[in-house]
Amino acid sequence: MSESELQVKIYAPFRTYYEGPASSFSAVNATGPFDILPKHKNFMSLLLPCNIVVRAPQRPDFTMPIERGVMHVKKNQVIVFLDV
């Protein structure tokens, strides 16, 4: 993993929905829509119902509707745990 990309994992208790590199991650929390880019500060948030979007170089965008989730960002890693 380079300093210019994120490593994203989106999963639930019995399934991994996405795991791999990304250039950005987008979702919605209580303050509104937001984006996570490489070198983002450490961040934790509850996610609200929205479409989460993972943009990866040379791949189609990964888009997934969610009802709720918990997200943790640290050292260019975005981890999203879904309650589905």
Side-chain angles (χ1 to χ4, degrees):
M1 179 175 70
S2 76
E3 293 252 338
S4 63
E5 72 179 18
L6 300 167
Q7 188 65 29
V8 177
K9 182 174 182 179
I10 302 168
Y11 69 106
F14 302 105
R15 183 171 175 193
T16 298
Y17 294 94
Y18 182 93
E19 187 168 13
S23 54
S24 71
F25 173 89
S26 302
V28 176
N29 65 13
T31 61
F34 65 89
D35 297 312
I36 303 294
L37 300 171
K39 299 184 182 179
H40 196 286
K41 296 286 186 187
N42 294 350
F43 182 57
M44 286 189 79
S45 183
L46 296 175
L47 302 179
L48 297 179
C50 67
N51 284 327
I52 53 177
V53 180
V54 179
R55 290 173 191 83
Q58 300 170 357
R59 283 186 179 178
D61 290 352
F62 173 84
T63 302
M64 179 180 176
I66 65 164
E67 288 299 316
R68 62 181 176 212
V70 177
M71 181 196 67
H72 182 235
V73 179
K74 185 175 182 182
K75 296 183 181 178
N76 281 345
Q77 294 184 324
V78 179
I79 297 173
V80 178
F81 184 74
L82 303 174
D83 179 20
V84 290

